[in-house]
Coordinates of all heavy atoms in Angstrom, one line a residue:
M873 N 125.6 105.8 85.4 CA 126.6 105.1 86.2 C 126.6 103.6 85.9 O 125.6 103.0 86.2 CB 126.5 105.4 87.6 CG 127.7 105.0 88.5 SD 127.6 105.8 90.0 CE 127.2 104.5 91.1
N874 N 127.6 103.1 85.3 CA 127.6 101.7 84.9 C 128.3 100.9 86.0 O 129.4 101.2 86.4 CB 128.4 101.6 83.6 CG 128.1 100.2 82.9 OD1 127.4 99.4 83.5 ND2 128.7 100.0 81.8
Q875 N 127.6 99.9 86.5 CA 128.1 99.1 87.6 C 128.8 97.9 87.0 O 128.3 97.1 86.2 CB 127.0 98.6 88.5 CG 126.2 99.8 89.1 CD 127.1 100.6 90.1 OE1 127.9 100.1 90.7 NE2 126.8 101.9 90.1
T876 N 130.0 97.6 87.5 CA 130.7 96.4 87.1 C 130.6 95.4 88.2 O 130.4 95.7 89.3 CB 132.2 96.7 86.9 OG1 132.8 97.2 88.1 CG2 132.4 97.8 85.8
P877 N 130.7 94.1 87.8 CA 130.6 93.1 88.8 C 131.7 93.2 89.9 O 131.4 92.9 91.1 CB 130.8 91.8 88.1 CG 130.4 92.1 86.7 CD 130.7 93.6 86.5
A878 N 132.8 93.7 89.5 CA 133.9 93.9 90.5 C 133.5 95.0 91.6 O 133.8 94.8 92.8 CB 135.2 94.3 89.8
S879 N 132.9 96.1 91.1 CA 132.5 97.1 92.1 C 131.4 96.6 93.0 O 131.4 96.9 94.2 CB 132.1 98.4 91.4 OG 131.0 98.2 90.6
Q880 N 130.5 95.8 92.5 CA 129.4 95.3 93.3 C 130.0 94.3 94.3 O 129.6 94.3 95.4 CB 128.4 94.6 92.4 CG 127.2 94.1 93.2 CD 126.0 93.7 92.3 OE1 126.1 93.8 91.1 NE2 125.0 93.1 92.9
D881 N 130.9 93.4 93.9 CA 131.5 92.5 94.8 C 132.3 93.2 95.9 O 132.2 92.8 97.0 CB 132.5 91.6 94.0 CG 131.8 90.5 93.2 OD1 130.6 90.3 93.4 OD2 132.4 90.0 92.3
F882 N 133.0 94.3 95.5 CA 133.7 95.1 96.5 C 132.7 95.7 97.5 O 133.0 95.6 98.7 CB 134.5 96.2 95.8 CG 135.2 97.1 96.8 CD1 136.3 96.7 97.4 CD2 134.7 98.4 97.0 CE1 137.0 97.5 98.3 CE2 135.3 99.2 97.9 CZ 136.5 98.8 98.6
R883 N 131.6 96.2 97.1 CA 130.6 96.7 98.0 C 130.1 95.7 99.0 O 129.9 95.9 100.2 CB 129.5 97.4 97.3 CG 129.8 98.8 96.8 CD 128.6 99.6 96.4 NE 127.9 98.9 95.3 CZ 128.1 99.0 94.0 NH1 129.0 99.9 93.6 NH2 127.4 98.4 93.1
E884 N 129.8 94.5 98.4 CA 129.2 93.4 99.2 C 130.3 92.9 100.2 O 129.9 92.7 101.4 CB 128.8 92.3 98.3 CG 127.5 92.6 97.6 CD 127.1 91.5 96.6 OE1 127.7 90.5 96.6 OE2 126.1 91.7 95.9
Q885 N 131.5 92.8 99.8 CA 132.6 92.4 100.7 C 132.8 93.5 101.8 O 133.0 93.1 103.0 CB 133.8 92.1 100.0 CG 133.8 90.9 99.1 CD 135.0 90.7 98.3 OE1 135.9 91.5 98.2 NE2 135.1 89.6 97.6
T886 N 132.7 94.7 101.4 CA 132.9 95.8 102.4 C 131.7 95.8 103.4 O 132.0 95.9 104.6 CB 132.9 97.2 101.7 OG1 134.0 97.2 100.7 CG2 133.1 98.3 102.7
L887 N 130.5 95.6 103.0 CA 129.4 95.5 103.9 C 129.6 94.3 104.9 O 129.3 94.4 106.1 CB 128.1 95.4 103.2 CG 127.4 96.7 102.7 CD1 126.2 96.4 101.8 CD2 127.1 97.6 103.8
A888 N 130.0 93.2 104.3 CA 130.2 92.0 105.2 C 131.3 92.3 106.2 O 131.1 91.9 107.4 CB 130.5 90.8 104.3
L889 N 132.4 92.9 105.8 CA 133.5 93.2 106.7 C 133.0 94.2 107.8 O 133.4 94.0 108.9 CB 134.6 93.8 105.9 CG 135.9 94.2 106.7 CD1 136.5 92.9 107.4 CD2 136.9 94.9 105.8
L890 N 132.2 95.2 107.4 CA 131.7 96.1 108.4 C 130.8 95.4 109.4 O 130.9 95.7 110.6 CB 131.0 97.2 107.7 CG 131.8 98.2 107.0 CD1 131.0 99.2 106.2 CD2 132.8 99.0 107.9
W891 N 130.0 94.5 109.0 CA 129.1 93.8 109.9 C 130.0 92.9 110.9 O 129.8 92.9 112.1 CB 128.1 92.9 109.2 CG 126.9 93.6 108.8 CD1 126.5 93.9 107.5 CD2 125.9 94.1 109.6 NE1 125.3 94.6 107.5 CE2 124.9 94.7 108.8 CE3 125.7 94.1 111.0 CZ2 123.8 95.3 109.3 CZ3 124.5 94.7 111.5 CH2 123.6 95.3 110.7
I892 N 131.0 92.2 110.3 CA 131.9 91.4 111.2 C 132.6 92.2 112.2 O 132.7 91.9 113.3 CB 132.8 90.6 110.3 CG1 132.0 89.5 109.5 CG2 133.9 89.9 111.1 CD1 132.8 88.8 108.4
L893 N 133.2 93.4 111.7 CA 133.9 94.2 112.6 C 133.0 94.8 113.7 O 133.4 94.9 114.9 CB 134.6 95.4 111.8 CG 135.8 95.0 111.0 CD1 136.2 96.2 110.2 CD2 136.9 94.5 111.9
L894 N 131.8 95.1 113.3 CA 130.9 95.7 114.3 C 130.5 94.6 115.4 O 130.6 94.9 116.6 CB 129.6 96.2 113.6 CG 128.6 96.9 114.5 CD1 129.2 98.1 115.3 CD2 127.4 97.4 113.8
F895 N 130.1 93.5 114.9 CA 129.8 92.4 115.9 C 131.0 92.0 116.7 O 130.9 91.9 117.9 CB 129.2 91.2 115.1 CG 127.8 91.3 114.7 CD1 127.4 91.1 113.4 CD2 126.8 91.6 115.6 CE1 126.1 91.2 113.0 CE2 125.5 91.7 115.3 CZ 125.1 91.5 114.0
A896 N 132.1 91.8 116.1 CA 133.3 91.3 116.8 C 133.8 92.4 117.8 O 134.1 92.2 118.9 CB 134.4 90.9 115.9
G897 N 133.8 93.7 117.3 CA 134.3 94.8 118.1 C 133.3 95.0 119.3 O 133.8 95.3 120.4
H898 N 132.1 94.9 119.0 CA 131.1 95.2 120.1 C 131.1 94.0 121.1 O 131.2 94.3 122.3 CB 129.7 95.3 119.5 CG 128.6 95.6 120.5 ND1 127.7 94.7 120.8 CD2 128.4 96.7 121.2 CE1 126.9 95.2 121.7 NE2 127.3 96.5 122.0
W899 N 131.1 92.8 120.7 CA 131.0 91.7 121.6 C 132.4 91.5 122.3 O 132.5 91.5 123.5 CB 130.6 90.4 120.9 CG 130.6 89.3 121.8 CD1 129.7 89.0 122.7 CD2 131.6 88.2 121.8 NE1 130.0 87.8 123.4 CE2 131.2 87.3 122.8 CE3 132.7 87.9 121.1 CZ2 131.9 86.2 123.1 CZ3 133.4 86.8 121.4 CH2 133.0 85.9 122.4
A900 N 133.4 91.2 121.5 CA 134.7 90.9 122.1 C 135.4 92.1 122.7 O 135.9 92.0 123.8 CB 135.6 90.3 121.0
G901 N 135.3 93.2 122.0 CA 136.0 94.4 122.5 C 135.5 94.9 123.9 O 136.2 95.1 124.8
L902 N 134.2 95.1 123.9 CA 133.5 95.6 125.1 C 133.6 94.5 126.3 O 133.7 94.9 127.4 CB 132.1 96.0 124.9 CG 132.0 97.3 124.0 CD1 130.5 97.6 123.8 CD2 132.8 98.4 124.5
T903 N 133.5 93.3 125.9 CA 133.6 92.2 126.9 C 134.9 92.2 127.5 O 135.1 92.1 128.8 CB 133.2 90.8 126.3 OG1 131.9 90.9 125.7 CG2 133.3 89.8 127.3
L904 N 136.0 92.3 126.7 CA 137.3 92.3 127.2 C 137.6 93.5 128.1 O 138.2 93.4 129.1 CB 138.3 92.2 126.1 CG 138.4 90.8 125.4 CD1 139.4 90.9 124.2 CD2 138.9 89.8 126.3
L905 N 137.1 94.6 127.6 CA 137.4 95.9 128.4 C 136.6 95.8 129.7 O 137.1 96.3 130.7 CB 136.9 97.1 127.6 CG 137.8 97.5 126.4 CD1 137.2 98.6 125.6 CD2 139.2 97.9 126.9
N906 N 135.5 95.1 129.8 CA 134.8 94.9 131.0 C 135.5 94.0 131.9 O 135.6 94.2 133.1 CB 133.4 94.4 130.7 CG 132.5 94.3 132.0 OD1 132.9 94.8 133.0 ND2 131.4 93.7 131.9
E907 N 136.0 92.9 131.4 CA 136.7 91.9 132.2 C 138.0 92.4 132.8 O 138.4 92.1 133.9 CB 137.0 90.6 131.3 CG 135.8 89.8 130.9 CD 135.1 89.2 132.1 OE1 135.8 88.8 133.1 OE2 133.9 89.2 132.1
V908 N 138.7 93.3 132.0 CA 140.0 93.8 132.5 C 139.7 94.9 133.5 O 140.6 95.2 134.4 CB 140.8 94.4 131.3 CG1 142.0 95.1 131.7 CG2 141.1 93.2 130.3
G909 N 138.5 95.5 133.5 CA 138.2 96.5 134.5 C 138.2 97.9 133.9 O 138.1 98.9 134.7
F910 N 138.4 98.1 132.6 CA 138.4 99.4 132.1 C 137.0 100.0 131.9 O 136.9 101.2 132.0 CB 139.1 99.4 130.7 CG 140.6 99.3 130.8 CD1 141.2 98.3 130.1 CD2 141.4 100.1 131.5 CE1 142.6 98.1 130.1 CE2 142.8 99.9 131.6 CZ 143.4 98.9 130.9
L911 N 136.0 99.2 131.8 CA 134.7 99.7 131.6 C 133.7 98.9 132.6 O 133.9 97.8 132.9 CB 134.2 99.4 130.2 CG 134.7 100.2 129.0 CD1 134.2 99.7 127.7 CD2 134.4 101.6 129.2
R912 N 132.8 99.7 133.1 CA 131.7 99.1 133.9 C 130.5 98.8 133.0 O 130.4 99.3 131.9 CB 131.3 100.1 135.0 CG 132.4 100.4 136.0 CD 131.9 101.3 137.1 NE 131.0 102.3 136.7 CZ 131.3 103.5 136.4 NH1 132.6 103.9 136.3 NH2 130.4 104.4 136.0
R913 N 129.7 97.9 133.5 CA 128.5 97.5 132.7 C 127.6 98.7 132.4 O 127.0 98.8 131.4 CB 127.7 96.5 133.5 CG 128.3 95.1 133.5 CD 127.4 94.1 134.2 NE 128.2 92.9 134.3 CZ 128.1 91.8 133.5 NH1 127.3 91.9 132.4 NH2 128.8 90.7 133.7
E914 N 127.5 99.7 133.3 CA 126.8 100.9 133.1 C 127.3 101.7 131.9 O 126.6 102.3 131.1 CB 126.7 101.8 134.4 CG 126.0 101.1 135.5 CD 127.0 100.2 136.3 OE1 128.2 100.3 136.2 OE2 126.4 99.3 137.0
Q915 N 128.6 101.8 131.8 CA 129.3 102.5 130.7 C 129.0 101.8 129.4 O 128.7 102.4 128.4 CB 130.8 102.6 130.9 CG 131.2 103.5 132.0 CD 132.7 103.5 132.3 OE1 133.2 102.4 132.4 NE2 133.3 104.7 132.3
I916 N 129.0 100.4 129.4 CA 128.7 99.7 128.2 C 127.3 99.9 127.8 O 127.0 100.1 126.6 CB 129.0 98.2 128.4 CG1 130.5 98.0 128.6 CG2 128.5 97.4 127.3 CD1 130.9 96.6 129.0
A917 N 126.4 99.9 128.7 CA 125.0 100.2 128.4 C 124.8 101.6 127.9 O 124.0 101.8 126.9 CB 124.1 100.0 129.7
D918 N 125.5 102.6 128.4 CA 125.5 103.9 127.9 C 126.0 104.0 126.4 O 125.4 104.7 125.6 CB 126.3 104.9 128.8 CG 125.6 105.1 130.1 OD1 124.4 104.8 130.2 OD2 126.3 105.6 131.0
W919 N 127.1 103.3 126.2 CA 127.7 103.3 124.8 C 126.7 102.6 123.9 O 126.6 103.0 122.7 CB 129.0 102.6 124.9 CG 130.2 103.4 125.4 CD1 130.1 104.5 126.2 CD2 131.5 103.1 125.3 NE1 131.3 104.9 126.5 CE2 132.2 104.1 126.0 CE3 132.2 102.1 124.6 CZ2 133.6 104.1 126.0 CZ3 133.6 102.1 124.7 CH2 134.3 103.1 125.4
N920 N 126.1 101.5 124.3 CA 125.1 100.8 123.5 C 124.0 101.7 123.1 O 123.6 101.8 121.9 CB 124.6 99.6 124.1 CG 125.5 98.4 124.1 OD1 126.4 98.3 123.2 ND2 125.4 97.5 125.0
E921 N 123.5 102.5 124.0 CA 122.4 103.4 123.7 C 122.9 104.6 122.9 O 122.2 105.0 121.9 CB 121.8 103.9 125.0 CG 120.5 104.7 124.8 CD 119.9 105.1 126.2 OE1 120.1 104.3 127.2 OE2 119.3 106.1 126.2
A922 N 124.0 105.1 123.2 CA 124.4 106.4 122.5 C 125.1 106.1 121.2 O 124.8 106.8 120.2 CB 125.4 107.1 123.4
Y923 N 125.9 105.1 121.0 CA 126.7 104.9 119.8 C 126.3 103.7 119.0 O 126.0 103.7 117.8 CB 128.2 104.8 120.1 CG 128.7 106.0 120.9 CD1 129.1 105.9 122.2 CD2 128.7 107.3 120.3 CE1 129.6 107.0 122.9 CE2 129.2 108.4 120.9 CZ 129.6 108.3 122.2 OH 130.1 109.4 122.9
F924 N 126.3 102.5 119.7 CA 126.2 101.3 118.9 C 124.8 101.1 118.3 O 124.7 100.5 117.2 CB 126.6 100.1 119.8 CG 128.1 99.9 120.0 CD1 128.7 100.3 121.1 CD2 128.9 99.4 118.9 CE1 130.1 100.1 121.3 CE2 130.2 99.3 119.1 CZ 130.8 99.6 120.3
S925 N 123.8 101.5 118.9 CA 122.5 101.4 118.4 C 122.4 102.2 117.1 O 121.8 101.7 116.1 CB 121.4 101.8 119.3 OG 121.5 103.1 119.7
K926 N 123.0 103.3 117.0 CA 123.0 104.2 115.8 C 123.8 103.6 114.7 O 123.5 103.6 113.5 CB 123.4 105.6 116.2 CG 122.4 106.3 117.0 CD 123.0 107.6 117.5 CE 122.0 108.4 118.4 NZ 121.7 107.7 119.6
I927 N 124.9 103.0 115.1 CA 125.8 102.4 114.1 C 125.1 101.1 113.5 O 125.2 100.9 112.3 CB 127.2 102.0 114.8 CG1 127.9 103.2 115.2 CG2 128.0 101.1 113.8 CD1 129.2 102.9 116.0
Y928 N 124.5 100.3 114.3 CA 123.7 99.2 113.8 C 122.6 99.6 112.9 O 122.5 99.0 111.8 CB 123.1 98.3 115.0 CG 124.1 97.4 115.6 CD1 124.5 97.6 116.9 CD2 124.5 96.3 114.9 CE1 125.4 96.7 117.5 CE2 125.4 95.3 115.5 CZ 125.8 95.6 116.8 OH 126.6 94.7 117.4
L929 N 121.9 100.6 113.2 CA 120.8 101.1 112.4 C 121.3 101.7 111.1 O 120.8 101.4 110.0 CB 120.0 102.2 113.1 CG 118.8 102.8 112.4 CD1 117.8 101.6 112.2 CD2 118.2 103.9 113.2
F930 N 122.4 102.4 111.1 CA 123.0 103.0 109.9 C 123.5 101.8 109.0 O 123.3 101.9 107.8 CB 124.2 103.9 110.3 CG 124.9 104.5 109.1 CD1 124.3 105.4 108.3 CD2 126.2 104.0 108.7 CE1 124.9 105.9 107.2 CE2 126.8 104.6 107.6 CZ 126.2 105.5 106.9
L931 N 124.2 100.8 109.6 CA 124.7 99.7 108.7 C 123.5 98.9 108.2 O 123.6 98.4 107.0 CB 125.6 98.9 109.6 CG 126.5 97.9 108.8 CD1 127.3 98.5 107.7 CD2 127.5 97.2 109.8
L932 N 122.5 98.7 109.0 CA 121.3 98.0 108.5 C 120.7 98.8 107.3 O 120.3 98.2 106.3 CB 120.3 97.8 109.6 CG 119.0 97.1 109.2 CD1 119.3 95.7 108.8 CD2 118.0 97.2 110.4
T933 N 120.6 100.1 107.4 CA 120.0 100.9 106.4 C 120.9 100.8 105.1 O 120.3 100.6 104.0 CB 119.9 102.4 106.8 OG1 119.2 102.4 108.0 CG2 119.3 103.2 105.7
L934 N 122.2 100.8 105.2 CA 123.1 100.7 104.1 C 122.9 99.3 103.4 O 122.8 99.2 102.2 CB 124.5 100.8 104.5 CG 125.1 102.2 104.6 CD1 126.5 102.2 105.1 CD2 124.9 103.1 103.4
T935 N 122.8 98.3 104.2 CA 122.6 96.9 103.7 C 121.3 96.8 103.0 O 121.3 96.2 101.9 CB 122.7 95.9 104.9 OG1 124.0 96.1 105.5 CG2 122.6 94.5 104.3
L936 N 120.2 97.3 103.6 CA 118.9 97.2 102.9 C 118.9 98.0 101.6 O 118.3 97.6 100.6 CB 117.8 97.6 103.9 CG 117.6 96.7 105.1 CD1 116.5 97.3 106.0 CD2 117.2 95.3 104.6
L937 N 119.5 99.2 101.6 CA 119.6 100.0 100.4 C 120.3 99.2 99.3 O 119.9 99.2 98.2 CB 120.2 101.3 100.7 CG 120.4 102.3 99.6 CD1 119.0 102.7 99.0 CD2 121.2 103.5 100.0
H938 N 121.4 98.6 99.7 CA 122.2 97.9 98.7 C 121.4 96.7 98.1 O 121.4 96.5 96.9 CB 123.5 97.4 99.4 CG 124.3 96.5 98.5 ND1 125.1 97.0 97.4 CD2 124.5 95.1 98.5 CE1 125.6 96.0 96.8 NE2 125.3 94.8 97.4
L939 N 120.7 96.0 99.0 CA 119.9 94.9 98.5 C 118.8 95.4 97.6 O 118.5 94.7 96.6 CB 119.3 94.1 99.7 CG 120.3 93.3 100.5 CD1 119.6 92.7 101.7 CD2 120.9 92.2 99.7
A940 N 118.1 96.5 97.9 CA 117.1 97.0 97.1 C 117.6 97.5 95.8 O 117.0 97.2 94.7 CB 116.4 98.2 97.8
L941 N 118.7 98.1 95.8 CA 119.3 98.6 94.5 C 119.7 97.4 93.6 O 119.6 97.4 92.4 CB 120.5 99.5 94.7 CG 120.1 100.9 95.3 CD1 121.4 101.7 95.6 CD2 119.3 101.7 94.3
R942 N 120.3 96.4 94.2 CA 120.7 95.2 93.5 C 119.5 94.5 92.9 O 119.5 94.1 91.7 CB 121.5 94.2 94.4 CG 122.0 93.1 93.7 CD 122.9 92.2 94.5 NE 122.1 91.6 95.6 CZ 122.6 90.7 96.5 NH1 123.9 90.4 96.4 NH2 121.8 90.2 97.4
A943 N 118.4 94.4 93.7 CA 117.2 93.8 93.1 C 116.6 94.6 92.0 O 116.1 94.0 91.0 CB 116.1 93.6 94.3
M944 N 116.6 95.9 92.1 CA 116.1 96.8 91.0 C 116.9 96.7 89.8 O 116.4 96.6 88.7 CB 116.0 98.2 91.5 CG 114.9 98.5 92.5 SD 115.0 100.2 93.2 CE 114.8 101.1 91.7
R945 N 118.3 96.6 90.0 CA 119.2 96.5 88.9 C 119.0 95.1 88.2 O 118.9 95.0 86.9 CB 120.6 96.6 89.4 CG 121.6 97.1 88.4 CD 123.0 97.3 88.9 NE 123.0 98.3 90.0 CZ 123.4 98.1 91.2 NH1 123.8 96.9 91.6 NH2 123.4 99.1 92.1
R946 N 118.8 94.1 88.9 CA 118.5 92.7 88.4 C 117.2 92.7 87.6 O 117.1 92.1 86.6 CB 118.5 91.7 89.5 CG 118.4 90.3 88.9 CD 118.6 89.3 90.0 NE 119.9 89.3 90.6 CZ 120.2 89.1 91.8 NH1 119.3 88.8 92.7 NH2 121.5 89.1 92.2
E947 N 116.2 93.3 88.2 CA 114.9 93.4 87.5 C 114.9 94.2 86.2 O 114.3 93.8 85.2 CB 113.8 94.0 88.5 CG 112.5 94.2 87.9 CD 111.8 92.8 87.7 OE1 112.1 91.9 88.4 OE2 110.9 92.8 86.8
K948 N 115.7 95.3 86.2 CA 115.9 96.1 85.1 C 116.5 95.3 83.9 O 116.2 95.4 82.8 CB 116.7 97.3 85.4 CG 116.9 98.3 84.3 CD 117.7 99.5 84.7 CE 118.0 100.4 83.6 NZ 118.8 101.5 84.0
T949 N 117.5 94.5 84.2 CA 118.2 93.7 83.2 C 117.4 92.5 82.7 O 117.6 92.1 81.6 CB 119.6 93.2 83.7 OG1 119.4 92.4 84.8 CG2 120.5 94.4 84.0
T950 N 116.5 92.0 83.5 CA 115.7 90.9 83.0 C 114.3 91.2 82.5 O 113.7 90.4 81.9 CB 115.5 89.9 84.2 OG1 114.8 90.5 85.3 CG2 116.8 89.3 84.7
S951 N 113.9 92.5 82.7 CA 112.5 92.8 82.2 C 112.6 93.1 80.6 O 113.6 93.6 80.1 CB 112.0 94.1 82.9 OG 112.8 95.2 82.5
P952 N 111.5 92.7 79.9 CA 111.5 92.9 78.5 C 111.4 94.4 78.2 O 110.7 95.1 78.9 CB 110.3 92.1 78.0 CG 109.4 92.1 79.2 CD 110.3 92.1 80.4
L953 N 112.1 94.8 77.1 CA 112.0 96.2 76.7 C 110.8 96.4 75.8 O 110.5 95.5 75.0 CB 113.3 96.5 75.9 CG 114.6 96.4 76.7 CD1 115.8 96.7 75.8 CD2 114.6 97.5 77.8
P954 N 110.1 97.5 75.9 CA 109.0 97.8 75.1 C 109.4 98.1 73.6 O 110.6 98.4 73.4 CB 108.4 99.1 75.7 CG 109.5 99.7 76.5 CD 110.4 98.6 76.9
N955 N 108.5 97.9 72.7 CA 108.8 98.1 71.3 C 109.0 99.6 71.1 O 108.4 100.4 71.8 CB 107.6 97.6 70.4 CG 107.5 96.1 70.4 OD1 108.5 95.4 70.7 ND2 106.3 95.6 70.2
E956 N 109.7 100.0 70.1 CA 110.0 101.4 69.8 C 108.7 102.2 69.5 O 108.6 103.4 69.9 CB 111.0 101.6 68.7 CG 112.4 101.2 69.1 CD 113.4 101.4 68.0 OE1 113.1 102.2 67.0 OE2 114.4 100.8 68.0
G957 N 107.8 101.6 68.9 CA 106.6 102.4 68.5 C 105.5 102.4 69.6 O 104.5 103.1 69.4
D958 N 105.7 101.8 70.7 CA 104.7 101.7 71.7 C 104.7 103.1 72.5 O 105.7 103.6 72.8 CB 105.0 100.6 72.7 CG 104.6 99.3 72.1 OD1 103.9 99.2 71.1 OD2 105.1 98.3 72.7
T959 N 103.5 103.5 72.7 CA 103.4 104.7 73.6 C 103.4 104.2 75.0 O 103.2 103.0 75.3 CB 102.0 105.5 73.3 OG1 101.0 104.6 73.6 CG2 102.0 105.9 71.9
P960 N 103.6 105.1 76.0 CA 103.6 104.7 77.4 C 102.3 104.0 77.8 O 102.3 103.1 78.6 CB 103.9 105.9 78.2 CG 104.6 106.8 77.2 CD 104.1 106.5 75.9
R961 N 101.2 104.5 77.2 CA 99.9 103.9 77.6 C 99.8 102.5 77.0 O 99.2 101.6 77.7 CB 98.8 104.8 77.0 CG 97.4 104.5 77.5 CD 97.4 104.9 78.9 NE 96.0 105.2 79.3 CZ 95.6 105.2 80.5 NH1 96.5 104.9 81.5 NH2 94.4 105.4 80.8
A962 N 100.3 102.3 75.8 CA 100.2 100.9 75.2 C 101.1 100.0 75.9 O 100.7 98.8 76.1 CB 100.6 101.0 73.7
V963 N 102.2 100.4 76.4 CA 103.1 99.6 77.1 C 102.5 99.2 78.4 O 102.6 98.0 78.9 CB 104.5 100.3 77.3 CG1 105.4 99.5 78.3 CG2 105.2 100.5 76.0
Q964 N 101.8 100.1 79.1 CA 101.2 99.9 80.3 C 100.0 98.8 80.2 O 99.9 97.9 81.0 CB 100.6 101.2 80.9 CG 100.5 101.2 82.4 CD 100.2 102.6 82.8 OE1 99.5 103.4 82.1 NE2 100.5 102.9 84.0
R965 N 99.3 98.9 79.1 CA 98.2 98.0 78.8 C 98.7 96.6 78.5 O 98.1 95.6 78.9 CB 97.3 98.4 77.6 CG 96.3 99.5 78.0 CD 95.4 99.6 76.8 NE 96.2 100.0 75.6 CZ 96.1 101.2 75.0 NH1 95.2 102.1 75.4 NH2 96.8 101.5 74.0
K966 N 99.9 96.5 77.9 CA 100.5 95.2 77.6 C 101.1 94.5 78.9 O 101.4 93.4 78.8 CB 101.6 95.3 76.5 CG 101.0 95.6 75.2 CD 102.2 95.7 74.2 CE 101.7 96.1 72.8 NZ 102.9 96.2 71.9
G967 N 101.3 95.3 79.9 CA 101.8 94.8 81.1 C 103.3 94.8 81.2 O 103.9 94.0 81.9
K968 N 103.9 95.6 80.3 CA 105.4 95.6 80.3 C 106.0 96.5 81.4 O 107.2 96.5 81.6 CB 105.9 96.0 78.9 CG 105.6 95.0 77.9 CD 106.2 95.4 76.5 CE 105.9 94.3 75.5 NZ 106.4 94.7 74.2
I969 N 105.2 97.3 82.0 CA 105.7 98.2 83.1 C 105.1 97.7 84.4 O 104.0 97.3 84.6 CB 105.3 99.7 82.8 CG1 106.2 100.1 81.6 CG2 105.6 100.5 84.0 CD1 106.0 101.6 81.3

């Protein structure tokens, strides 16, 4: 699977948008619903425990996975390639792996 810079930018922008929506929706949305009287603090606490904590954890996992894959991809493109005649043992001794 060949990654283009445009697809990587799209993923990064999507992750940023999801974080913004989650923070804004959680803070502003629940605060406004509480102020208007649609939700009680106990209900917000229940929602935080039941839903929002799992959403935050899932989004954090996606973000860390994206960062790890990006770092691995960057390392793969900058690492020197072994010579064609090198065996895996010789490459390992040279420190190329």
Side-chain angles (χ1 to χ4, degrees):
M873 190 161 107
N874 194 1
Q875 301 295 324
T876 63
S879 66
Q880 186 172 351
D881 288 343
F882 176 73
R883 280 193 303 271
E884 289 176 3
Q885 289 174 354
T886 302
L887 277 173
L889 179 65
L890 288 173
W891 276 111
I892 291 169
L893 287 174
L894 183 60
F895 281 126
H898 183 248
W899 178 75
L902 292 181
T903 303
L904 287 174
L905 288 174
N906 184 13
E907 291 295 322
V908 173
F910 287 125
L911 290 176
R912 295 185 322 269
R913 289 184 187 262
E914 297 82 22
Q915 288 174 312
I916 292 173
D918 290 342
W919 284 16
N920 281 337
E921 187 176 330
Y923 303 112
F924 284 103
S925 61
K926 290 172 182 63
I927 294 170
Y928 277 112
L929 184 61
F930 178 71
L931 194 52
L932 177 65
T933 304
L934 280 180
T935 303
L936 292 176
L937 179 65
H938 175 73
L939 290 173
L941 289 174
R942 185 174 66 177
M944 289 174 57
R945 211 175 293 122
R946 185 175 295 147
E947 179 68 28
K948 182 179 176 183
T949 59
T950 60
S951 66
L953 296 175
N955 296 333
E956 287 183 20
D958 288 344
T959 63
R961 193 70 156 158
V963 170
Q964 209 171 26
R965 277 191 302 246
K966 289 180 183 179
K968 292 184 180 177
I969 289 185

